[in-house]
Amino acid sequence: MNRLLFALSFILFALMAQLALAHPVETTSPAKTDEPPLWMKVTAHDKFDRTKIAATGVSLEVYGDDYVMVLGSQAQADKLQKMGVLIAKFPASPSLLDFPAWDADFHNYDEVKAELERLHQAHPAITTLDSIGQTGEGREIFRLRISKDPHTASQLPAMLLTGGHHAREHVSVEVPLMFADRLLSLFDQGDAQAVRLIGSRDIQIVPLVNPDGAEWDIQRGIYKMWRKNRTANSDGTFGVDLNRNYSQGWNNVEGASSDPGNETFHGKAPFSEPETRAVKAWIDSTPNATTLLTLHTYSELILYPWGSSYETIANTRDAQVFKTMAKTMSQWNGYSPMQASNLYAVSGEMCDWAYDTHKLFAFTFEMDPSSFVNNGFYPGQAKLPEIFEKNFPAILYMIEVADNPYKVLDPAAKSYGFATSFLAE
Ligand code: 0X9
Ligand code: ZN
């Protein structure tokens, strides 16, 4: 296969994957984070040679008549050396390990880290930056906490914001970063609402739950349409769907797969994954949390529990709060509010667990675009400002009501100040 054919077949594959959730089995393994991937030229005369090379776990990228170019780790280079087929190796160019040039505004893992550090360093008194845990490949799952005194913030009502459960949903990582930047800028300018919220709430942002998957999705400078994390499964496939790995309803209903190669593989057990375990430990140890927003793409929806059952929530007051909040937020972002299972029922998703276990008013936003025809998971960096602006007031609202979400049922709710400032009357 020549280079052009390879590129064309990749694009075709990407388009097909965008139209359907089913995904061919991934046979390559990523480089460890502490060792940059290597480009290697390897002797290969036929398919049998190539199969032996692929079996070392490298990814075959370019096919020549008597060689292949592969991406892999130092350990894999050692294996190829032992097999006597390694011709040359050199570190992969940084441009191959990042977002494609047309989406350079998106933040890869190192850039997420740098952006969070920048925000923290510019606001050392009102932010802390730490990690809620490590991924399977050893990356950190960063948390930025914003509050007047983050060290005593656990006495204040907390709103939790997460992004990046699904690798290819890079927009869901950008929006939390943009939110933190905007809130802190408004605070610097003395904006009354920002000053009041930072003074009275504990705002916790985990923008990238699945950095291993996100890095894998962009590893060759071209999107791979990857969804899951990068756990090596027992059958040689990779990845667990983190939004099927929470315990509530785990594997009880349809909407998750027990086939490891499947896009919605639920994992070996509830919380089998380091990423979901980190999220669990974080939320379990945040009893002051009342509201949670987990960002995904795409479809333009606001979803609330139950997602694993067609029943409505038994507590009718809670059900009313969910509905009211969803409807209110839809007036800003224009997304359609609905019970999550009305879209489709899944088992083991985050919001069901968060409400079931901690009674959090937990929402999923499926942000822009509305469909794959509008570029699905990859709408392009030019869309980011628009997507952020429409969601900014909705996120602020979830922080506003965190002191007592039941207040949204109060007919005089507008007097709390959160409604009139944004809602079109
Ligand atoms: O399937 C998911 O995990 C979410 N959609 S996505 O396209 N981002 O993968 C939606 C989960 C919401 N819950 C239910 N539909 N029950
Ligand atoms: Zn998602």
Side-chain angles (χ1 to χ4, degrees):
M1 212 186 315
N2 66 29
R3 266 162 187 269
L4 184 65
L5 257 180
F6 179 78
L8 284 174
S9 61
F10 189 90
I11 290 163
L12 188 66
F13 154 74
L15 280 170
M16 283 164 55
Q18 182 128 357
L19 289 168
L21 207 65
H23 193 287
V25 168
E26 184 62 55
T27 54
T28 57
S29 73
K32 290 278 174 222
T33 49
D34 51 352
E35 43 180 58
L38 297 170
W39 256 124
M40 291 174 267
K41 188 173 183 182
V42 182
T43 303
H45 299 286
D46 53 27
K47 60 186 175 189
F48 305 109
D49 286 353
R50 289 193 290 272
T51 302
K52 276 185 212 140
I53 291 162
T56 65
V58 297
S59 62
L60 278 63
E61 304 290 339
V62 179
Y63 301 82
D65 286 344
D66 54 2
Y67 71 93
V68 283
M69 297 298 296
V70 305
L71 270 175
S73 65
Q74 183 57 54
Q76 289 159 345
D78 294 343
K79 275 191 205 165
L80 294 167
Q81 179 84 52
K82 267 196 196 145
M83 289 158 62
V85 291
L86 185 64
I87 302 168
K89 63 167 190 199
F90 44 91
S93 138
S95 66
L96 279 169
L97 308 175
D98 201 356
F99 282 94
W102 63 85
D103 269 346
D105 285 357
F106 281 83
H107 293 74
N108 65 23
Y109 172 76
D110 286 340
E111 290 162 350
V112 167
K113 182 175 183 225
E115 172 64 358
L116 293 172
E117 278 167 353
R118 183 187 73 79
L119 292 169
H120 170 53
Q121 277 157 20
H123 303 87
I126 56 165
T127 62
T128 54
L129 176 59
D130 60 8
S131 163
I132 61 166
Q134 287 193 335
T135 65
E137 293 182 350
R139 294 185 178 88
E140 302 294 344
I141 305 171
F142 299 110
R143 167 179 66 167
L144 183 72
R145 204 166 173 183
I146 307 175
S147 192
K148 65 178 175 195
D149 176 7
H151 301 286
T152 58
S154 34
Q155 291 152 17
L156 300 172
M159 183 272 184
L160 313 181
L161 176 62
T162 68
H165 268 77
H166 289 143
R168 61 196 169 200
E169 298 171 17
H170 303 286
V171 171
S172 75
V173 181
E174 296 305 313
V175 169
L177 292 177
M178 292 167 94
F179 179 80
D181 179 56
R182 173 67 62 83
L183 184 67
L184 291 167
S185 303
L186 287 171
F187 179 87
D188 292 344
Q189 294 156 25
D191 175 87
Q193 190 184 25
V195 170
R196 180 169 49 76
L197 289 180
I198 290 177
S200 58
R201 303 284 187 276
D202 176 12
I203 302 158
Q204 302 199 22
I205 302 175
V206 175
L208 183 48
V209 170
N210 177 17
D212 293 355
E215 288 286 284
W216 178 243
D217 191 54
I218 60 171
Q219 196 199 30
R220 292 171 217 164
I222 185 158
Y223 293 123
K224 292 196 189 79
M225 199 72 69
W226 190 254
R227 171 181 172 91
K228 302 187 283 182
N229 73 355
R230 291 294 303 162
T231 290
N233 298 321
S234 55
D235 66 349
T237 63
F238 285 85
V240 169
D241 184 345
L242 297 179
N243 211 29
R244 301 293 181 276
N245 192 239
Y246 290 83
S247 57
Q248 210 280 344
W250 187 83
N251 198 20
N252 280 349
V253 294
E254 290 172 63
S257 173
S258 50
D259 169 8
N262 193 285
E263 284 284 72
T264 57
F265 176 46
H266 51 47
K268 287 182 296 196
F271 295 114
S272 57
E273 302 311 293
E275 295 85 355
T276 47
R277 277 204 301 279
V279 171
K280 177 185 186 313
W282 164 47
I283 298 180
D284 284 350
S285 61
T286 311
N288 54 324
T290 57
T291 57
L292 164 72
L293 174 59
T294 179
L295 296 175
H296 287 253
T297 66
Y298 57 88
S299 289
E300 304 189 0
L301 302 169
I302 297 177
L303 305 172
Y304 51 85
W306 299 118
S308 61
S309 147
Y310 298 113
E311 305 290 306
T312 45
I313 285 167
N315 181 321
T316 49
R317 200 157 162 252
D318 286 3
Q320 266 314 108
V321 170
F322 272 114
K323 268 195 181 162
T324 307
M325 286 181 70
K327 191 161 175 253
T328 304
M329 293 190 287
S330 76
Q331 296 182 65
W332 293 304
N333 59 19
Y335 299 168
S336 305
M338 66 175 76
Q339 183 173 331
S341 56
N342 282 358
L343 180 63
Y344 50 83
V346 311
S347 55
E349 64 147 288
M350 183 193 207
C351 289
D352 276 15
W353 171 80
Y355 176 69
D356 184 52
T357 315
H358 295 293
K359 290 292 165 280
L360 297 191
F361 287 99
F363 292 84
T364 301
F365 283 3
E366 295 281 5
M367 297 187 292
D368 302 42
S370 54
S371 74
F372 71 85
V373 234
N374 301 321
N375 299 318
F377 298 111
Y378 306 110
Q381 62 187 22
K383 289 275 180 225
L384 286 174
E386 179 194 325
I387 300 174
F388 169 66
E389 293 303 337
K390 63 166 81 166
N391 282 293
F392 177 64
I395 303 173
L396 275 185
Y397 169 81
M398 292 205 57
I399 298 170
E400 280 282 8
V401 305
D403 63 333
N404 174 18
Y406 295 98
K407 73 185 183 185
V408 305
L409 301 181
D410 184 338
K414 288 186 179 177
S415 67
Y416 289 101
F418 57 78
T420 45
S421 50
F422 293 104
L423 277 178
E425 296 293 331

